[in-house]
Amino acid sequence: MAAMAPGGGGSGGGVNPFLSDSDEDDDEVAATEERRAGLRLGAAVGLDPGSADSLSPQDPMAPGSSARPGLPVESAAPPAALGGSGETPARLSIDAIAAQLLRDQYLLTALELHTELLENGRELPRLRDYFSNPGNFERQSGTPPGMGAPGIPGASGVGSSGGREPSTTSGGGQLNRAGSISTLDSLDFARYSDDGNRETDERVAVLEFELRKAKETIQALRANLTKAAEHEVPLQERKNYKSSPEIQEPIKPLEKRALNFLVNEFLLKNNYKLTSITFSDENDDQDFELWDDVGLNIPKPPDLLQLYRDFGNHQVTGKDLVDVASGVDEDELEALTPILGNVPPTLDTSQPIENSLLVQKLEDKISLLNNEKWSLMEQIRRLESEMDILKTEHFTTPAVGDSVQPSHRDSEDSRWSPAVNSSDQDKNKDGHLETLGGPDSSIPKENSTGSFPKKEREEMPLSSVPSKTVVHFDQPNRKLSPAFHQALLSFCRMSADSRLGSEVSRIADSEKSVMLMLGRCLPHIVPNVLLAKREELIPLILCTACLHPEPKERDQLLHILFNLIKRPDDEQRQMILTGCVAFARHVGPTRVEAELLPQCWEQINHKYPERRLLVAESCGALAPYLPKEIRSSLVLSMLQQMLMEDKADLVREAVIKSLGVIMGYIDDPDKYQQGFELLLSALGDPSERVVSATHQVFLPAYAAWTTELGNLQSHLIPTLLSKIEKLLREGEHGLDEHKLHMYLSALQSLIPSLFALVLQNAPFSSKATLHDDVPQIEVTRFPRPMSPLQDVSTIIGSREQLAVLLELYDYQLEHEGTTGWESLLWVVNQLLPQLIEIVGKINVTSTACVHEFSRFFWRLCRTFGKIFTNTKVKPQFQEILRLSEENIGNGVLTKATVPIYATGVLTCYIQEEDRKLLVGFLEDVMTLLSLSHAPLDSLKASFVELGANPAYHELLLTVLWYGVVHTSALVRCTAARMFELLVKGVNETLVAQRVVPALITLSSDPEISVRIATIPAFGTIMETVIQRELLERVKMQLASFLEDPQYQDQHSLHTEIIRTFGRVGPNAEPRFRDEFVIPHLHKLALVNNLQIVDSKRLDIAIHLFEAYSALSCCFISEDLMVNHFLPGLRCLRTDMEHLSPEHEVILSSMIKECEQKVENKTVQEPQGSMSIAASLVSEDTKTKFLNKMGQLTTSGAMLANVFQRKK
């Protein structure tokens, strides 16, 4: 009797191994299954619509297929499946036709058939169940872009246009719903009227509709749970019932809930209210108010009284039943055909008598056939016994057993079973004959030769055939019938009728049998393994998936692999990826495409980033093992989608790395532009992790492919340069420094690939052969690469090959020139001039831009070498930066070309001659800019960039000392101002030994402008240095500027001091601020009240206002506040009353705040500490002031209200 294996191992839908640890809802799981089913079309074998298998209701693909209750399994098969090949086919049953329509997705035809059957009063349960389940029509499935069914090019029905279109393939059986779109014609303008009642009514209607939909969904989910719960009867209880029919079958969970509901209803109707309350409390997991809570997707049955009254109308005929397992041959099926052919297509429930008669007739026929089967088995056993004797003698294999004697060899119960075809064995998983033959029932049916093809077995020599040991058992000298033996043994407590018992009773005797057994058992094992240890199952799952003969089982196992762990960590993902690569190496590209890729696609939008991370990493790991068409289409599209849509930085980082791997294997030139667009998207990603991965993996891999296509110098680098030029043209009023950094860093990462191209296309490339005395490459020859893919030796092939090429490269440049060297000539004649032109356009005051271009030229010169830098790069800069008054007039020396040449080119090499060249260049620039009264921005940018590296501090101090002793006061003044930039980065030893002596020398300069120029540098020292002796020297020098009578009328000196105090006061040492800065500001404010010239008085007042504003945020003691700070503010207010009323308003508010602060301190003095309220006022004052100061650029009318208190 052909039947499915318990648990439905073949269908892949019998067990969901992830209900225990996944919190995804059923709809998401169902949608995932449909996407997988849509992508597996290419791997599935189509069935002939007219074949028996395609019409069988037992087909696992047929929705809702099941054997009719009360009938043997044979009776549920359609007649078409049983007819002989030479006879006229029997009439098809309507149930089989319905199954075929649903399976082939002819849903409208099936619906029409269902309607006509209803009209005729012949409702078909299959169609009723299918169309009453809303879950069959509300889920959607998708297919990956650019791919139909795997393995079938141009498969119809799947989104073949490249987009993810809905699929209605055989895995889902769902219809898609489209949301309605509001158009102008469909708008109900009355809906948006002011009628509030109507709006409320509509909202209620919408909520009622949503509630109804939610209830339908809940009902559908309950139906699914009902099906699962109906089979949850303990194995031991089922076994007890089958061995002892008189014991009543145990109650099922749903039956219990239904009876509980009816009992509670009966109690309430008959006023047993207290009993009903107690009964409800004892069943608190059930809602007795709602029948749908029972979980049954059927109408409520009659009440208990009606059921009791109707019980007498039914007659139950008792029948002794015996559990037997049997196999059915095709001859027996043909003998059954005349009887089964008369079975009506549908058994109406209104004909119970006819049904019982038909069942009786069929069971009688089965009994006759079983008797015939026993006799045939006796003959088979005798024949097998004779075969055992002949084969044992032929192979001279000793018999092994408890007691083996020659006289027992021809015993009718000693047998050696012939090989059984694996497909036949699969068809008889439950009805295997091993359980029928007595004590030897557990002997497997396959011998060792069964795993070889017939042709190979015939060609194999007899000595090489592995003979199977024949096991004999002592048989009693009795004349009991086999049926009696079987019935007697049934009392032994063995469980072969459950899924696990069936597996245990069959011992696998070949690799194929082991694979089949693992495929059936693993889905049941995985959910019961701890999450932390599930990676231990990966080898077992992979081996089974590799070797299992059934595509559906393999697909289920790979699905288990990708869903093995809910949120796999790095180590677990590495294990899964290692397994996927091993699987791919073993099975080849076709199966990787058909079996592994769908598993990746279905999780591309998974809600857990760890699962999406696994997909992204899998695409790169599997790239070498995929067909090249799939690499450049489907996989590339998947990664592009994830890069654009995924919000997790880690996932996009993994996508970028996988894209780099894809770029290393892609060979379709048409995908070059798509790769370039992906590169720009990756470079512009907001995450630093993604950008870093782009520079380390994606960009070098793409550059290697670009080099092979010949596009590196013709497209990639020129395109990036043109984008930089466009940015500079459009950024006159505000440069997008982020985009500039993006493009320039990409160019910087392309330098190793460009140099490798120059070496490989050099005239000497054909002469480069490895020899014994290969010179060693200096460790500092190349800049440190960001990744191994940016290492020139990796791009070339080996460090030895690179050493040979470098030797020839230097010799060629030094002795033979660049004639005929097209790739290097492009760098010299096109790339360098364009770069130098771009450098001249950037803003010299932008520290970030100067730094970026400086690092770019430094890497370019270090990579191409010293000879190239001295002979090709420096001459082009020197031609533009000719140190003459003409260049000062046209502004070349004031542009960013100066700092980039100084810091990016002249600092590449640090030998003595290189340092002298840099010092001389900076001295000449400082001299020319000073003498021509030109802006010093380019010189300042050079000092800032070089001052960031302590290695150049001595060199910069040398340049400045040249300015200190220069004969021109303009140059000395410039040197004094440059000290301010240098002090912050120089250590205190150099400040004490080199900076302060130079500044003191300049502070006694005959020219007053030089002395004034030293004040900012002195202030910076006060801000950064902590040595008390050094601070005292600076304090004395500043005091001489303030107290020396010769400086009393020096307006510019006073302005510079006040500005310096305001800049360094908040950060200076507190003692210096309290004892020196604030008292002298008070003095300067008093003196300014006596100033006669209004312009000078206003200039000093504005600078004092800025200084006091900055210092007001500092902690000031009460004495200092009363004696110096407040008096100084009052003096300043006096100036502002006459010169700037808008400032006077702000000053008045500041004075009030300070006075209030002093009052609060005075009130709290008895407590010995500042109160919480006072501290809050202080903080409030600071915050208010800082916020309001930013509004000083507004008009005077607005300034009057800045510090107004809210009423």
Side-chain angles (χ1 to χ4, degrees):
M1 180 167 54
M4 298 284 296
S11 66
V15 176
N16 185 348
F18 307 104
L19 288 177
S20 60
D21 65 320
S22 175
D23 53 0
E24 304 171 18
D25 56 25
D26 293 342
D27 288 340
E28 183 177 346
V29 174
T32 300
E33 290 295 329
E34 289 168 34
R35 285 202 299 271
R36 292 175 54 240
L39 285 175
R40 291 198 307 267
L41 282 177
V45 179
L47 297 175
D48 184 4
S51 67
D53 289 339
S54 66
L55 293 178
S56 173
Q58 296 295 334
D59 191 335
M61 295 300 290
S65 63
S66 63
R68 186 173 305 283
L71 286 175
V73 179
E74 294 91 341
S75 66
L82 305 173
S85 59
E87 300 176 8
T88 303
R91 183 179 178 184
L92 295 178
S93 70
I94 293 180
D95 188 70
I97 294 173
Q100 180 66 15
L101 289 176
L102 293 177
R103 181 177 182 274
D104 292 343
Q105 296 296 298
Y106 298 125
L107 299 181
L108 294 179
T109 308
L111 181 59
E112 186 175 357
L113 174 61
H114 179 50
T115 305
E116 292 182 356
L117 289 174
L118 285 176
E119 292 174 354
N120 294 335
R122 300 166 61 197
E123 184 181 38
L124 194 62
R126 180 191 305 279
L127 295 176
R128 179 197 65 202
D129 295 342
Y130 186 83
F131 288 110
S132 64
N133 186 2
N136 292 327
F137 306 97
E138 291 187 348
R139 293 173 291 180
Q140 293 184 352
S141 60
T143 56
M147 176 183 178
I152 304 178
S156 62
V158 187
S160 57
S161 63
R164 292 183 299 162
E165 298 181 2
S167 169
T168 56
T169 56
S170 62
Q174 289 84 21
L175 293 178
N176 299 311
R177 288 186 178 179
S180 61
I181 303 174
S182 296
T183 62
L184 189 61
D185 296 332
S186 66
L187 284 176
D188 182 9
F189 291 96
R191 175 181 177 183
Y192 303 99
S193 68
D194 295 330
D195 187 357
N197 293 333
R198 174 172 184 148
E199 183 177 349
T200 303
D201 294 340
E202 287 183 352
R203 188 158 58 248
V204 170
V206 170
L207 292 174
E208 288 176 351
F209 172 77
E210 292 177 351
L211 179 60
R212 187 165 62 253
K213 294 298 296 177
K215 286 182 177 179
E216 290 175 2
T217 303
I218 292 171
Q219 193 172 5
L221 294 175
R222 279 209 189 96
N224 294 336
L225 291 175
T226 299
K227 294 176 183 177
E230 283 175 347
H231 303 288
E232 291 178 358
V233 179
L235 297 179
Q236 187 63 31
E237 293 180 1
R238 275 189 282 172
K239 182 183 71 60
N240 290 342
Y241 171 70
K242 292 185 177 182
S243 60
S244 302
E246 68 275 9
I247 302 176
Q248 183 181 4
E249 185 176 2
I251 188 170
K252 297 178 181 177
L254 291 173
E255 293 174 345
K256 180 179 178 182
R257 295 175 70 84
L259 288 174
N260 286 347
F261 186 94
L262 296 176
V263 169
N264 185 73
E265 185 183 58
F266 171 81
L267 293 173
L268 289 175
K269 283 184 179 180
N270 292 276
N271 292 322
Y272 298 110
K273 295 182 179 179
L274 292 178
T275 308
S276 172
I277 293 172
T278 306
F279 186 77
S280 300
D281 291 340
E282 291 176 346
N283 296 278
D284 56 353
D285 60 337
Q286 186 171 347
D287 183 9
F288 289 107
E289 299 291 333
L290 184 64
W291 166 254
D292 287 340
D293 184 70
V294 173
L296 295 175
N297 203 23
I298 59 174
K300 189 173 80 69
D303 58 18
L304 281 181
L305 181 60
Q306 185 65 31
L307 290 174
Y308 175 78
R309 289 172 177 173
D310 194 49
F311 178 77
N313 297 331
H314 298 278
Q315 292 182 355
V316 181
T317 58
K319 176 81 176 173
D320 293 334
L321 302 176
V322 178
D323 284 344
V324 295
S326 61
V328 183
D329 296 333
E330 290 192 6
D331 295 339
E332 299 178 37
L333 291 177
E334 293 175 10
L336 277 173
T337 301
I339 296 175
L340 297 182
N342 298 326
V343 178
T346 59
L347 299 177
D348 199 330
T349 57
S350 64
Q351 301 175 345
I353 300 176
E354 290 82 347
N355 289 349
S356 61
L357 292 175
L358 180 60
V359 170
Q360 181 71 38
K361 186 185 298 182
L362 291 173
E363 289 180 346
D364 293 341
K365 181 61 179 177
I366 289 172
S367 179
L368 293 174
L369 291 173
N370 281 336
N371 293 334
E372 184 181 353
K373 185 183 66 177
W374 293 122
S375 62
L376 292 174
M377 286 181 62
E378 292 294 330
Q379 296 179 19
I380 291 173
R381 191 173 287 109
R382 284 195 295 272
L383 293 173
E384 287 178 346
S385 178
E386 294 177 6
M387 290 171 61
D388 288 347
I389 297 171
L390 293 174
K391 293 196 176 192
T392 304
E393 291 176 351
H394 183 76
F395 288 106
T396 65
T397 303
V400 180
D402 298 328
S403 175
V404 183
Q405 299 177 1
S407 60
H408 293 149
R409 285 184 178 177
D410 55 354
S411 173
E412 62 179 9
D413 291 317
S414 299
R415 61 191 181 91
W416 186 69
S417 58
V420 180
N421 186 283
S422 62
S423 61
D424 296 335
Q425 186 186 25
D426 290 341
K427 292 180 181 178
N428 294 284
K429 289 177 182 177
D430 290 333
H432 52 86
L433 296 177
E434 293 93 320
T435 62
L436 304 175
D440 56 346
S441 61
S442 61
I443 299 177
K445 287 291 188 181
E446 299 182 23
N447 59 15
S448 58
T449 61
S451 60
F452 295 97
K454 182 177 179 182
K455 184 176 179 182
E456 292 182 12
R457 289 204 305 270
E458 292 174 355
E459 294 176 357
M460 288 173 62
L462 294 177
S463 60
S464 65
V465 178
S467 60
K468 185 173 183 179
T469 302
V470 181
V471 182
H472 298 278
F473 297 94
D474 284 340
Q475 300 297 329
N477 189 15
R478 301 290 297 275
K479 295 183 180 180
L480 299 176
S481 66
F484 188 86
H485 268 291
Q486 181 67 21
L488 189 62
L489 290 173
S490 67
F491 287 94
C492 297
R493 299 183 61 84
M494 294 184 296
S495 176
D497 54 353
S498 64
R499 179 194 63 80
L500 186 57
S502 175
E503 298 294 349
V504 172
S505 65
R506 286 181 290 178
I507 303 300
D509 60 348
S510 67
E511 292 180 0
K512 186 174 182 181
S513 301
V514 173
M515 290 303 108
L516 293 172
M517 180 270 293
L518 288 174
R520 292 189 300 268
C521 293
L522 277 173
H524 301 274
I525 296 172
V526 171
N528 299 304
V529 177
L530 291 174
L531 285 173
K533 295 296 181 181
R534 284 194 177 176
E535 62 267 23
E536 300 292 339
L537 292 170
I538 293 175
L540 203 58
I541 295 172
L542 281 168
C543 288
T544 310
C546 281
L547 303 175
H548 202 284
E550 293 296 330
K552 292 179 183 178
E553 292 293 331
R554 295 200 301 267
D555 183 74
Q556 184 185 13
L557 289 167
L558 291 175
H559 181 67
I560 289 174
L561 176 66
F562 274 80
N563 293 273
L564 192 64
I565 303 164
K566 184 194 298 185
R567 306 183 77 162
D569 57 24
D570 287 342
E571 185 176 353
Q572 291 166 337
R573 286 198 308 275
Q574 289 176 12
M575 289 299 103
I576 295 175
L577 288 177
T578 305
C580 289
V581 170
F583 178 89
R585 288 174 176 170
H586 188 273
V587 303
T590 303
R591 278 183 60 183
V592 174
E593 174 193 353
E595 298 177 14
L596 270 183
L597 273 189
Q599 304 297 335
C600 294
W601 175 257
E602 73 175 20
Q603 305 213 19
I604 195 172
N605 291 317
H606 200 281
K607 67 179 179 180
Y608 291 133
E610 292 86 355
R611 300 279 276 275
R612 303 197 302 274
L613 192 57
L614 179 61
V615 173
E617 293 170 343
S618 298
C619 290
L622 295 175
Y625 311 103
L626 287 167
K628 61 180 182 180
E629 298 83 4
I630 296 297
R631 275 199 296 261
S632 58
S633 58
L634 175 63
V635 178
L636 191 61
S637 300
M638 288 171 62
L639 292 172
Q640 182 176 13
Q641 176 182 339
M642 296 183 76
L643 179 62
M644 300 302 177
E645 298 178 0
D646 207 294
K647 296 180 181 179
D649 295 349
L650 284 173
V651 177
R652 296 200 306 278
E653 181 186 12
V655 167
I656 290 299
K657 292 179 180 178
S658 293
L659 277 172
V661 177
I662 292 292
M663 290 300 153
Y665 284 89
I666 200 169
D667 55 3
D668 183 3
D670 295 337
K671 299 295 179 181
Y672 171 79
Q673 189 61 34
Q674 183 180 357
F676 182 68
E677 294 170 359
L678 286 172
L679 175 63
L680 294 181
S681 299
L683 288 171
D685 195 276
S687 170
E688 286 295 330
R689 300 177 65 100
V690 178
V691 175
S692 177
T694 304
H695 286 287
Q696 292 177 12
V697 185
F698 185 22
L699 184 56
Y702 183 74
W705 185 35
T706 306
T707 303
E708 292 180 26
L709 296 176
N711 292 339
L712 185 64
Q713 293 181 333
S714 63
H715 177 267
L716 184 55
I717 294 178
T719 304
L720 292 174
L721 287 173
S722 64
K723 288 184 177 294
I724 293 175
E725 290 180 329
K726 183 180 178 182
L727 272 180
L728 294 174
R729 284 196 306 270
E730 297 174 350
E732 294 179 358
H733 303 291
L735 180 64
D736 189 344
E737 293 187 358
H738 174 71
K739 282 191 174 181
L740 180 65
H741 167 73
M742 180 178 83
Y743 296 137
L744 196 58
S745 63
L747 279 176
Q748 186 171 308
S749 297
L750 289 173
I751 291 175
S753 299
L754 178 62
F755 185 62
L757 175 66
V758 169
L759 290 179
Q760 291 168 340
N761 293 336
F764 53 78
S765 59
S766 58
K767 308 175 189 175
T769 56
L770 294 176
H771 45 82
D772 295 336
D773 54 341
V774 177
Q776 292 294 323
I777 303 175
E778 295 181 11
V779 177
T780 59
R781 170 62 180 83
F782 293 101
R784 180 178 298 175
M786 289 182 63
S787 78
L789 297 178
Q790 289 190 11
D791 191 341
V792 181
S793 62
T794 304
I795 301 174
I796 293 295
S798 68
R799 199 161 182 83
E800 293 75 16
Q801 183 71 16
L802 176 60
V804 173
L805 288 172
L806 283 177
E807 187 179 25
L808 296 172
Y809 168 79
D810 291 339
Y811 182 83
Q812 179 85 15
L813 284 178
E814 193 171 3
H815 298 94
E816 299 181 8
T818 59
T819 305
W821 198 345
E822 296 298 331
S823 56
L824 187 63
L825 288 173
W826 179 86
V827 176
V828 174
N829 298 330
Q830 295 186 42
L831 178 63
L832 282 175
Q834 191 174 1
L835 284 171
I836 295 173
E837 182 182 358
I838 290 173
V839 163
K841 296 177 182 178
I842 68 173
N843 186 2
V844 69
T845 60
S846 174
T847 306
C849 291
V850 171
H851 177 73
E852 291 287 340
F853 276 96
S854 172
R855 300 313 298 162
F856 174 81
F857 274 97
W858 187 86
R859 280 188 171 270
L860 180 70
C861 295
R862 289 293 305 216
T863 302
F864 278 79
K866 187 172 184 178
I867 298 175
F868 179 86
T869 302
N870 291 335
T871 60
K872 305 298 179 186
V873 181
K874 289 180 181 179
Q876 293 198 33
F877 272 99
Q878 291 166 357
E879 178 66 22
I880 294 174
L881 295 174
R882 286 193 303 271
L883 299 178
S884 63
E885 295 185 0
E886 295 179 5
N887 279 341
I888 296 174
N890 58 29
V892 173
L893 293 180
T894 61
K895 294 180 180 179
T897 312
V898 169
I900 289 172
Y901 174 60
T903 63
V905 178
L906 296 181
T907 60
C908 285
Y909 301 96
I910 53 175
Q911 280 79 13
E912 188 60 30
E913 61 270 18
D914 301 310
R915 297 177 70 87
K916 287 181 179 178
L917 183 61
L918 176 58
V919 169
F921 176 74
L922 291 175
E923 290 173 352
D924 293 342
V925 169
M926 182 171 63
T927 303
L928 285 173
L929 291 177
S930 302
L931 295 176
S932 60
H933 300 277
L936 302 176
D937 292 333
S938 59
L939 185 63
K940 289 181 179 179
S942 303
F943 269 74
V944 169
E945 184 69 21
L946 291 171
N949 187 350
Y952 295 106
H953 288 170
E954 286 280 358
L955 183 146
L956 293 175
L957 288 171
T958 302
V959 174
L960 291 179
W961 186 253
Y962 166 82
V964 169
V965 298
H966 200 276
T967 56
S968 170
L970 295 173
V971 178
R972 297 198 301 274
C973 186
T974 300
R977 295 193 178 278
M978 289 298 106
F979 274 112
E980 178 189 356
L981 301 175
L982 193 60
V983 166
K984 289 185 178 180
V986 177
N987 62 64
E988 292 192 4
T989 303
L990 279 178
V991 172
Q993 295 177 356
R994 303 282 299 275
V995 176
V996 172
L999 287 174
I1000 292 177
T1001 301
L1002 291 173
S1003 65
S1004 58
D1005 194 271
E1007 291 291 333
I1008 187 68
S1009 60
V1010 176
R1011 283 177 267 173
I1012 294 174
T1014 61
I1015 293 175
F1018 280 124
T1020 304
I1021 292 175
M1022 297 299 296
E1023 187 180 15
T1024 57
V1025 175
I1026 60 175
Q1027 287 185 20
R1028 186 161 299 278
E1029 295 179 1
L1030 205 57
L1031 290 175
E1032 288 298 328
R1033 292 176 64 186
V1034 173
K1035 181 180 176 182
M1036 289 175 60
Q1037 185 60 50
L1038 290 175
S1040 68
F1041 285 145
L1042 289 167
E1043 298 170 2
D1044 195 328
Q1046 63 175 326
Y1047 299 121
Q1048 287 182 357
D1049 298 330
Q1050 292 294 331
H1051 174 77
S1052 56
L1053 183 142
H1054 292 160
T1055 303
E1056 193 66 49
I1057 286 180
I1058 294 171
R1059 185 188 299 116
T1060 302
F1061 281 174
R1063 175 173 58 86
V1064 305
N1067 302 319
E1069 199 264 334
R1071 182 181 172 188
F1072 170 73
R1073 180 177 65 238
D1074 295 344
E1075 296 179 359
F1076 188 81
V1077 174
I1078 294 178
H1080 280 92
L1081 284 177
H1082 181 202
K1083 291 180 182 179
L1084 290 170
L1086 284 172
V1087 172
N1088 197 50
N1089 286 152
L1090 306 176
Q1091 178 61 253
I1092 302 174
V1093 181
D1094 287 346
S1095 59
K1096 292 183 178 180
R1097 184 179 179 185
L1098 178 61
D1099 190 25
I1100 293 291
I1102 290 176
H1103 285 92
L1104 281 172
F1105 175 80
E1106 293 174 354
Y1108 273 110
S1109 300
L1111 290 170
S1112 64
C1113 298
C1114 303
F1115 173 78
I1116 301 174
S1117 65
E1118 183 182 355
D1119 293 340
L1120 194 64
M1121 180 73 73
V1122 173
N1123 297 327
H1124 293 290
F1125 198 81
L1126 274 173
L1129 283 176
R1130 293 189 183 103
C1131 294
L1132 182 59
R1133 183 174 61 178
T1134 303
D1135 292 336
M1136 291 301 185
E1137 286 177 353
H1138 303 287
L1139 303 173
S1140 180
E1142 62 270 19
H1143 286 83
E1144 188 269 336
V1145 174
I1146 299 175
L1147 281 169
S1148 297
S1149 180
M1150 289 173 62
I1151 291 170
K1152 287 181 181 179
E1153 296 286 349
C1154 292
E1155 289 174 346
Q1156 185 178 6
K1157 189 185 300 184
V1158 172
E1159 291 175 2
N1160 290 334
K1161 288 182 180 179
T1162 305
V1163 172
Q1164 297 299 326
E1165 272 183 0
Q1167 282 77 16
S1169 62
M1170 180 184 290
S1171 68
I1172 296 177
S1175 63
L1176 289 176
V1177 170
S1178 174
E1179 291 298 323
D1180 182 61
T1181 303
K1182 182 188 300 184
T1183 305
K1184 278 185 180 180
F1185 182 76
L1186 288 175
N1187 290 337
K1188 300 302 180 183
M1189 283 305 300
Q1191 303 178 16
L1192 284 177
T1193 56
T1194 59
S1195 64
M1198 294 178 64
L1199 286 173
N1201 298 322
V1202 170
F1203 281 90
Q1204 291 288 334
R1205 287 187 178 276
K1206 292 185 178 181
K1207 302 298 182 184

